[in-house]
Each structure stands twice: as C-alpha cells, then as structure tokens.
Amino acid sequence: MQGFTSWLMADYNRVIALVAVVGGAIGAVLAPFIRFPLQLRAVRNQERLDAFKATVDGLEALGRQKDLEITRLNTVVEGHDRDREHWYNTRAMLVQRIEELQSQLYPWPENPTDTAVVMVCEDDIVSAKVLCRMLEQVQIEVFVTTKGYDALRHIRASPQFKLMILDFGLPDINGIDVAILARREGFRMPIIGLTGVADDLPKDTPRMKEANFTVVLPKTSRATDIIRHVKAALSPSGEATG
Amino acid sequence: MVRILTVLFTWLGIEVLLAIYCLQYGLMLLLIGEARFDSVLTVDLAWKGYGPWLGLPFLVKAVFTGSGVITNLSGWHYSWALRFIGAFVGSAIWLAMLLKYLSSTAALSFGMVVAADCLVLSALIMAMSYHDFPEPRSATDAGVH
C-alpha cells in the first residue's frame, strides 16, 4: 500500500488519472438515480399514444356517421414509463384497433378481378383511395392491398398484373423488400416505388439495385406525373418520356 | 440527409458532437507529434515519453460513443451499454482535463470551461444511456411513408 502511495505521489498526473477514473465511476453509480430521461420518455410516449388514440376516436366517429356498428374502445391510455411492457402493449393494441376500423370502414375486395392490371400496395387508406381514383379516371383498373406479403401472394396467384405500385412504409414488410422478394421469385414486371422521402433515398445501394424499381416517385408527385409513369410502364417499351 | 441531421442534432446530438471532438483530438495527438507539446494538458506527459498513448482515451471514447449512437439508430437493443461506456470514459477524460487545467497555469482558460461543461453533459448522457433513452430506433421510428 505504501509502495502504491509513493508511486502515486511521484507524479501528479497519476493522481489526476486516479481521481478522474474514480469520479467517472461515481457518476456511473449515480446515473440510475438521475430520473430526467424517464420523464422525457414518458412525455414523448404519451404524445405518441395520444396521437394513436385521436386516430382511433376519429375513425370511430366516422364509423358512427356511416351507421356502422362500431364498438367503442374503452381503454385507459397511459404512457407510464415505469412499465414499458404496458406501453408497448397499449401501442400494439391501438395500432391493431386502427387497422380493424380501417378495414371495417374501407373494405377492400379480397381478391382481384380478372381485369385489374395494376396492383397498388399502400397501407394508408387515404393515399390508396386517391391513387385508385386517379388511375380509374384514365380507365386503368386497380387492385389494392395494404400489406406487402399479401401483394406477393396476389402476384403469385394472379398472373394478369402488369405493374405494381409499392409504398415503402408497409405494416408487415418494407416496400423495398417486397420488390426484392418479387424479383427473386422471377417477376420482371415494372415496379413503381412511392415514398415520402424519395429525394433522400440512396438509389445506388445493393438493395435498391436488386429491387430494380422502374422509378421511385415522391408521394407529393403531381397526378399527371404519376399517370404518365404508370402509362409508360404499361406500354410495351416500358419507359417514361417527357 | 436533412432528416438524418435533424435526428442526430435533436436526441443524440450532444453525444455525436462529443464523439467528434474526441475523434479529432485523439487523431491529432496520435498522428501529429507536435500537437502533444502544444497544450498544457499533454506537454508534461509528452516530455515524459507517454506521447504515443495520449490519444488513446479520446479514441476509445469516440469509438464507444460513435458505435453506440450508430447501433441505437439501427435499433440494437443493447446499444445503451456502448453509449454508457463511452460516456463513462468521457467523464473520466473531462474530469482529468478539468483537474489538469485547474492545476496548471491555464486554470481560467476556455479549455477549462469546455471541460467543465462536457463533464456535466457526460454525466447526463450516462443517465440517459442507463435509462435507454432515446429507445433504440425511436429517433427514426416516424417511418418511411
């Protein structure tokens, strides 16, 4: 011990190093008792749950307007951070409830008609409705599915599809992965990607190359642009012009 | 790019900034011999022959914090441990710097203020990483729509 003390006192840098390490260790021991991150997270979680709950309330109100039998969700939504399991379960329950209500309010056909040539895979009901209406106005029949694996199932079962329009943020699988899986299964049809962040998306990654999108369009694209790309993809040459 | 920068400079910004400082200074001490003699923090240690090792703590901190932030953004469940170790090493570095400044002729220099502030920030980062905040991937879970 005396040897250590004399070694330590021989150079004040050693004392500084020892104090620094001990100080850091004291900080590490005290870290669990600093509670502000928990409060930050609780506030943030509560905001997110409130947003989900507002969506559920809105859909339930819409359902009642349409005279549908909508059962009211009676759940206390609390984002207490002390019970993270509770928060995750509540969020999952609300997301499931939103999906149920959406499918009740906007029932999509379960199977495509023989004449549908374009498949739209989009989980946001409003975006999907707008896209459908846009394409139906130019006499292009559309089939909509809201999940990526459903899209894959339908292109396997129904060979009439000539074009797929894929949203990137799907509930079960990323849109890029849907395209990759389709390519791996040998489907060579044109695929148009739709995303909110098309400008920020790197185009030259191995995944994007394997997905081989005909074009990736931002969701803010004008209707005329989307229709032009769809028509070009459906044409025999398969390239947009102008 | 704008979205990535927004994420970095809101929730994990301080950690990224401290890691970048440490990476830069660590590389400078490692690669440029003269740098070791240019600061009251390192000059006496450099004369004693510890020069090649002086950059190591800074680089260790940068590596742990940097990998902690990257794994947090990509959703790894245990990224908090890397961030915690990075903040711990950082606290020791800032405390050592603070003591060194206070015991030197540059006690009231800008470097001392920076070291003191970084020490407080590192303590807060240790608390944040211990409580796993922000949760892995939550900084980017707005999703691609």
Side-chain angles (χ1 to χ4, degrees):
Chain A
M1 187 64 192
Q2 199 176 356
F4 175 72
T5 311
S6 55
W7 172 82
L8 194 66
M9 300 310 283
D11 185 351
Y12 80 110
N13 283 304
R14 292 173 188 163
V15 180
I16 287 177
L18 183 70
V19 172
V21 172
V22 171
I26 291 171
V29 171
L30 292 178
F33 301 102
I34 301 175
R35 311 289 295 175
F36 88 98
L38 296 180
Q39 291 160 1
L40 275 179
R41 188 159 60 198
V43 169
R44 197 165 175 227
N45 287 351
Q46 191 65 53
E47 282 171 359
R48 288 145 95 189
L49 287 184
D50 287 346
F52 279 127
K53 188 74 171 58
T55 309
V56 170
D57 288 344
L59 289 170
E60 285 180 348
L62 196 59
R64 281 193 297 278
Q65 276 176 17
K66 290 188 173 185
D67 294 329
L68 292 176
E69 282 188 22
I70 301 289
T71 53
R72 181 123 183 99
L73 184 74
N74 292 314
T75 306
V76 180
V77 176
E78 289 175 352
H80 290 311
D81 196 78
R82 269 177 298 182
D83 187 354
R84 291 179 69 179
E85 203 63 29
H86 166 77
W87 187 78
Y88 282 120
N89 289 339
T90 310
R91 185 176 67 166
M93 185 266 297
L94 285 172
V95 169
Q96 191 186 350
R97 176 68 178 153
I98 288 168
E99 284 180 5
E100 280 171 18
L101 286 167
Q102 283 183 337
S103 61
Q104 204 175 344
L105 285 163
Y106 311 101
W108 297 104
E110 289 199 354
N111 290 302
T113 61
D114 292 340
T115 48
V117 291
V118 176
M119 174 184 298
V120 171
C121 187
E122 164 66 83
D123 64 321
D124 182 71
I125 299 295
V126 177
S127 299
K129 284 274 181 193
V130 169
L131 202 54
C132 282
R133 188 163 298 173
M134 200 189 292
L135 293 174
E136 281 164 4
Q137 278 175 353
V138 290
Q139 282 77 48
I140 296 173
E141 197 172 337
V142 178
F143 173 70
V144 177
T145 177
T146 55
K147 290 183 180 164
Y149 285 117
D150 284 350
L152 289 169
R153 186 164 54 83
H154 284 303
I155 57 168
R156 283 185 209 119
S158 311
Q160 84 267 14
F161 288 114
K162 301 286 183 280
L163 168 68
M164 188 153 54
I165 299 178
L166 274 178
D167 177 31
F168 279 14
L170 297 167
D172 55 345
I173 179 176
N174 190 295
I176 300 171
D177 292 324
V178 175
I180 289 173
L181 289 174
R183 298 302 187 208
R184 283 181 187 171
E185 289 185 29
F187 293 102
R188 294 283 164 260
M189 63 173 68
I191 300 178
I192 293 178
L194 268 187
T195 170
V197 291
D199 294 338
D200 291 339
L201 203 68
K203 309 285 190 302
D204 53 352
T205 61
R207 292 179 72 236
M208 286 298 282
K209 282 178 184 164
E210 192 176 359
N212 193 16
F213 284 100
T214 309
V215 63
V216 178
L217 298 173
K219 279 195 170 176
T220 50
S221 298
R222 287 180 303 173
T224 48
D225 284 341
I226 294 176
I227 290 169
R228 180 169 58 85
H229 280 288
V230 168
K231 281 184 171 175
L234 289 173
S235 71
S237 63
E239 282 193 9
T241 55
Chain B
M1 191 62 183
V2 173
R3 205 161 66 96
I4 292 169
L5 287 176
T6 309
V7 167
L8 286 182
F9 285 92
T10 48
W11 294 110
L12 299 164
I14 297 167
E15 282 177 74
V16 173
L17 206 62
L18 295 186
I20 289 172
Y21 285 162
C22 285
L23 183 68
Q24 286 174 330
Y25 194 52
L27 286 176
M28 215 162 77
L29 287 175
L30 190 72
L31 302 175
I32 308 171
E34 291 84 353
R36 302 163 197 160
F37 296 91
D38 277 357
S39 167
V40 291
L41 295 174
T42 52
V43 64
D44 56 336
L45 291 167
W47 278 114
K48 285 174 187 168
Y50 295 114
W53 303 100
L54 290 175
L56 196 63
F58 293 94
L59 294 176
V60 169
K61 188 261 183 306
V63 166
F64 274 106
T65 300
S67 54
V69 168
I70 290 167
T71 50
N72 179 286
L73 289 174
S74 50
W76 190 43
H77 191 62
Y78 298 103
S79 61
W80 71 270
L82 293 172
R83 293 170 57 215
F84 187 83
I85 295 169
F88 168 72
V89 176
S91 303
I93 290 173
W94 308 125
L95 185 54
M97 281 174 72
L98 184 65
L99 294 173
K100 199 72 191 281
Y101 272 119
L102 290 175
S103 63
S104 75
T105 52
L108 300 178
S109 63
F110 179 65
M112 189 276 287
V113 178
V114 172
D117 289 352
C118 289
L119 178 61
V120 175
L121 291 175
S122 278
L124 296 179
I125 291 169
M126 256 198 287
M128 279 173 62
S129 54
Y130 178 83
H131 294 298
D132 204 7
F133 180 84
E135 300 146 27
R137 203 154 205 166
S138 74
T140 53
D141 73 352
V144 180
H145 288 293

